[in-house]
Amino acid sequence: MVSLLDMPDVPMNSILDHGGPSVIFSLRKVCKNLRDYIDETMPELHLDAINICLEYKKITITWSHYLENVQISYKLHGNGYKTVFGENEITIENVDYMEGFWNDYSLIMKYQKSSLKRFHLHLSNSTDVEDVSKFLEQYQNSGTIKTQYLDLGIYHGDEVLVILQHLNANCLKNIRFFSASYYDKNIDFTEIVKLDQWKNANEFSSRNLSIDASMKHFTHFSKINAEFQHIYSEPGNLNVLKEVCIFEKKIV
């Protein structure tokens, strides 16, 4: 019987390309030779979407692939953390839960070469402020994300600029901000509207957010679903809307 290590490159690469993320990550753990081979060939994961939710002392990541949907949780446990994958639970000692998450996340993104269709990040209101800061610090060091759609759950608003800056501006086409709380949150758009990620996007929507920014920064979108605070009171907003409707015909 031929082992995986004795298999020619062509069939081996075919297995890696069509086996799905779980197969790739499982094979990496079999032995050093397989891990080295996978790290050298860098098979594409072909993930469609990644969903990350940061809660109180817990991070959950879900990835979607045409062969599988996988959810893994990392939760503070004693002096380490507990990871839950389906019915399996593993306790890791002397490692912070956030460090455990970022180690695995970095490995996932290492093999995700193509653009995601959707990247969902929810910073829950129950999250510890210090943990949000630590999360964003690690996020800034994790490399650029290619995604067509950003779905961002707002924590306090300041994180929006940080999140957008580390998305590929040529891939991002659809932006959605939302707040899970039952009251509006304000976002400072002053620096956000200067980003290429913002300028290149085609659609924008928001929920439970109060937008206080000039309409001129939103007219490049082909579709908008949002609530503005001062659409009538700010000078020029109505003229901007009139020009968009008459000359560009973006609003139906």
Side-chain angles (χ1 to χ4, degrees):
M1 181 180 295
V2 178
S3 70
L4 286 173
L5 294 174
D6 298 325
M7 189 174 293
D9 289 351
V10 173
M12 182 63 178
N13 291 338
S14 180
I15 292 174
L16 295 176
D17 287 339
H18 298 91
S22 294
V23 170
I24 293 174
F25 295 138
S26 295
L27 288 176
R28 282 189 82 258
K29 298 178 181 179
V30 171
C31 66
K32 182 180 184 301
N33 287 339
L34 270 177
R35 183 174 68 250
D36 291 344
Y37 180 86
I38 291 172
D39 288 346
E40 181 180 346
T41 56
M42 296 286 289
E44 167 67 68
L45 287 189
H46 300 293
L47 296 180
D48 292 324
I50 290 179
N51 185 323
I52 300 173
C53 182
L54 177 62
E55 302 174 89
Y56 183 72
K57 303 302 179 183
K58 177 182 178 182
I59 302 177
T60 301
I61 182 171
T62 304
W63 70 67
S64 299
H65 183 272
Y66 71 94
L67 290 177
E68 61 184 6
N69 290 318
V70 176
Q71 178 174 291
I72 305 176
S73 295
Y74 305 78
K75 187 176 182 179
L76 179 68
H77 183 78
N79 63 345
Y81 72 94
K82 178 184 293 185
T83 180
V84 180
F85 171 37
E87 297 181 354
N88 301 314
E89 292 188 4
I90 300 176
T91 299
I92 309 296
E93 299 290 341
N94 301 317
V95 178
D96 182 70
Y97 79 100
M98 196 169 293
E99 180 182 347
F101 163 79
W102 281 111
N103 287 340
D104 289 350
Y105 173 83
S106 298
L107 186 61
I108 293 170
M109 299 309 292
K110 177 180 177 180
Y111 297 106
Q112 179 62 24
K113 305 168 190 174
S114 60
S115 173
L116 297 167
K117 293 180 180 178
R118 182 187 185 99
F119 179 68
H120 175 102
L121 175 59
H122 182 195
L123 305 179
S124 171
N125 290 326
S126 64
T127 308
D128 183 80
V129 175
E130 182 179 345
D131 281 354
V132 172
S133 297
K134 289 168 58 178
F135 181 90
L136 292 176
E137 181 180 351
Q138 290 294 326
Y139 172 86
Q140 289 177 287
N141 297 324
S142 64
T144 303
I145 299 171
K146 294 181 180 179
T147 183
Q148 300 171 32
Y149 187 113
L150 170 66
D151 195 19
L152 177 60
I154 307 298
Y155 180 72
H156 47 53
D158 296 341
E159 71 275 13
V160 175
L161 185 66
V162 174
I163 300 301
L164 280 175
Q165 284 176 326
H166 288 79
L167 301 181
N168 187 299
N170 295 320
C171 293
L172 186 61
K173 301 303 177 186
N174 195 324
I175 299 172
R176 178 177 180 259
F177 300 151
F178 71 93
S179 171
S181 63
Y182 294 101
Y183 55 89
D184 287 347
K185 289 187 177 181
N186 293 314
I187 299 177
D188 184 356
F189 280 86
T190 305
E191 297 300 323
I192 293 173
V193 299
K194 298 177 183 178
L195 297 175
D196 288 337
Q197 289 85 344
W198 180 264
K199 296 176 182 178
N200 293 348
N202 296 327
E203 299 184 14
F204 173 76
S205 61
S206 67
R207 179 171 64 86
N208 286 354
L209 294 176
S210 185
I211 298 176
D212 186 10
S214 174
M215 286 295 301
K216 66 181 181 181
H217 298 304
F218 295 81
T219 55
H220 67 285
F221 293 118
S222 61
K223 183 178 180 181
I224 305 174
N225 184 355
E227 180 179 339
F228 292 82
Q229 280 188 4
H230 306 296
I231 193 169
Y232 296 109
S233 61
E234 183 176 335
N237 269 348
L238 289 180
N239 287 333
V240 169
L241 285 177
K242 182 176 68 175
E243 291 176 5
V244 171
C245 292
I246 295 176
F247 299 108
E248 300 185 34
K249 298 182 180 179
K250 288 185 178 179
I251 300 178
V252 179

